[in-house]
Amino acid sequence: MSLTLRPYQPSDAAVITSWLKSEYLMRQWCADRYEHYPVMPEDMNEYYERYIDGQRSRAFTMVDGDDIVGYITLRTPTDDPAEQRLGFVIVDDSRRGCGLGKALVTMTVKYAFKTLGAMKVSLGVFENNPSAIHCYEASGFHSVLRHDTESYECLGETWNCIEMEQHKEL
């Protein structure tokens, strides 16, 4: 594998949205950020145009040669750029279990620390997504307690988030 991270391009959307094989998987990926299933490429690009500004929020596509194999966002959740937050983490469903998720997360965390000067990278993951939790732990994240548990109404259920973070080694 020859994995690289590059800025998201609107032409990537058709491949990325094709990985969302069910509404359950789509909600694990984006919670309530998209109103309906299936998410179409134009929905993804509309979201990108509205919320990804290239300064406080960035979107990346991971490629293996010419193949699109992953997607992730990175944003500054507060006015302090020392914290960056991962979101919308997804890899090619036909290549799961091959270390792509760990590579995607690790490359993005490295970018946050080295390029953006972050001291902490955080994320929220649904507690009903054990494979994602394992991926984040394998990438160096650990769970932290929040005063308020973030939760979303998804598919008639309440899904709770686990807050995770990783600090830059000094």
Side-chain angles (χ1 to χ4, degrees), residues 18-168:
S18 76
W19 300 334
L20 301 167
K21 299 286 197 267
S22 71
E23 186 170 5
Y24 186 85
L25 290 173
M26 185 267 282
R27 294 290 167 213
Q28 283 185 317
W29 175 64
C30 72
D32 60 359
R33 300 301 189 255
Y34 290 94
E35 291 181 16
H36 61 273
Y37 177 81
V39 176
M40 304 304 291
E42 51 270 22
D43 300 325
M44 188 171 182
N45 286 324
E46 183 180 308
Y47 186 93
Y48 175 83
E49 287 295 321
R50 182 176 295 160
Y51 297 107
I52 306 296
D53 65 11
Q55 299 299 314
R56 289 181 55 90
S57 55
R58 296 164 171 81
F60 298 102
T61 300
M62 185 171 69
V63 293
D64 182 4
D66 292 331
D67 296 331
I68 295 168
V69 296
Y71 173 81
I72 195 167
T73 63
L74 185 64
R75 67 182 174 88
T76 309
T78 67
D79 287 336
D80 184 359
E83 179 180 353
Q84 296 292 312
R85 190 161 179 87
L86 300 182
F88 294 93
V89 181
I90 191 169
V91 297
D92 181 341
D93 61 308
S94 72
R95 295 175 62 174
R96 290 184 80 164
C98 300
L100 291 176
K102 182 180 177 185
L104 175 63
V105 169
T106 301
M107 287 192 293
T108 308
V109 167
K110 183 177 177 182
Y111 177 88
F113 289 150
K114 292 190 183 294
T115 305
L116 301 179
M119 298 306 291
K120 176 173 87 172
V121 178
S122 63
L123 61 87
V125 59
F126 286 122
E127 60 190 10
N128 66 359
N129 195 345
S131 60
I133 295 166
H134 175 76
C135 171
Y136 301 138
E137 289 172 341
S139 302
F141 282 83
H142 61 275
S143 299
V144 294
L145 290 176
R146 284 180 61 133
H147 300 301
D148 56 328
T149 300
E150 193 176 358
S151 61
Y152 294 85
E153 293 301 315
C154 294
L155 305 175
E157 302 173 339
T158 300
W159 290 6
N160 293 323
C161 286
I162 296 171
E163 183 71 10
M164 301 184 85
E165 58 187 42
Q166 184 176 149
H167 293 265
K168 183 176 184 176

